[in-house]
Amino acid sequence: MDSATVTVLWVTSLIMILCTLVFTYRSFRARIEIKHFYYLTALITLIAATLYMTMASGYGGIGLNGKVILFGRYIDWVITTPLLLMNLALIALPRNFPSRFAVIGTMIAADVYMIVSGLGASLIRSNFRWAFFAVSCAGFLAVLYFIIVKLTPEANVRSGPVQRHYSTLAIMLIALWVCYPIVWILGTEGFGIISLLPEVILYAILDVLAKGAFGFVLLSKPGVLLEAERET
Ligand code: RET
């Protein structure tokens, strides 16, 4: 890795730490019923900060056939993407929703499958990696199915403010998440159209938006979160 790439990784780690501090500080003032949203959001950026730090210091990547594979990002994603989905699902589904646990659990299982098979695709250098890419996309489609077909209709029968907050977050999440496989295809693990530095920059921007900005938007309406936590 050249020094520019290492710098981008350190700077991103720092941004994630700052987000974590802000989210944690704000959790102190939050009402007890909605503190878990703050904790989840802070944990997400803390995990990202840790993995960015690991990658920046050279321990989150390996050299494979002359290429650097930053597997650290998959360790980050395999923990943080389930937490992001949980945050969204807890707004859509009321506390007493009968299959709340089953819906969230199955969606998270598909998400973990997506990331783990994506890691497989990145570690395989032959064209067989595209088979892993394809099954990872299938996992992604399953996650999108859960959001669009399971969560959205439930959110749409809730109060106006909860509906609006949910739909802002769901649109933001889907718009950002679809960019990841596109960067993968363009980057060093896919067709290699862009080199490692622009790839790292693009993922860093996406990660800051999908974790940090998403967190700020989510926590910007504590009143709505409180309403979402009510029984129905
Ligand atoms: C990979 C490559 C294989 C195909 C697909 C992918 C999708 C990754 C996604 C990642 C989302 C990450 C987030 C991180 C934290 O904020 C693994 C790139 C479909 C959707 C949101």
Side-chain angles (χ1 to χ4, degrees), residues 88 91-94 150-160 162-164 166-167:
L88 182 73
I91 295 176
L93 306 175
K150 296 282 176 194
L151 300 185
T152 304
E154 295 306 329
N156 284 345
V157 295
R158 312 203 66 193
S159 74
V162 174
Q163 274 183 44
R164 280 192 294 280
Y166 168 82
S167 90

Side-chain angles (χ1 to χ4, degrees), residues 117-136 184 189-190:
S117 53
L119 172 65
S122 77
L123 294 175
I124 296 169
R125 290 325 304 158
S126 74
N127 278 331
F128 189 58
R129 71 185 187 284
W130 293 104
F132 275 80
F133 180 84
V135 295
S136 175
W184 197 95
E189 292 155 314

Side-chain angles (χ1 to χ4, degrees), residues 127-148:
N127 278 331
F128 189 58
R129 71 185 187 284
W130 293 104
F132 275 80
F133 180 84
V135 295
S136 175
C137 286
F140 189 31
L141 288 178
V143 172
L144 294 178
Y145 166 85
F146 270 95
I147 296 175
I148 294 165

Side-chain angles (χ1 to χ4, degrees), residues 66-122:
K67 275 191 187 137
V68 176
I69 303 294
L70 290 170
F71 62 84
R73 59 168 81 107
Y74 297 90
I75 300 177
D76 166 343
W77 298 346
V78 81
I79 312 174
T80 58
T81 54
L83 300 179
L84 287 163
L85 291 174
M86 203 192 298
N87 249 342
L88 182 73
L90 292 177
I91 295 176
L93 306 175
R95 209 172 246 284
N96 60 348
F97 185 74
S99 47
R100 204 188 198 202
F101 182 76
V103 170
I104 299 178
T106 316
M107 177 170 67
I108 287 178
D111 174 79
V112 169
Y113 175 75
M114 167 185 87
I115 301 296
V116 173
S117 53
L119 172 65
S122 77

Side-chain angles (χ1 to χ4, degrees), residues 28-57:
F28 300 148
R29 291 147 175 251
R31 292 264 302 258
I32 186 83
E33 302 93 313
I34 57 167
K35 273 192 196 289
H36 58 278
F37 286 111
Y38 292 77
Y39 297 152
L40 276 172
T41 310
L43 186 58
I44 289 165
T45 50
L46 178 64
I47 293 164
T50 312
L51 267 305
Y52 268 98
M53 187 179 77
T54 311
M55 291 189 284
S57 51

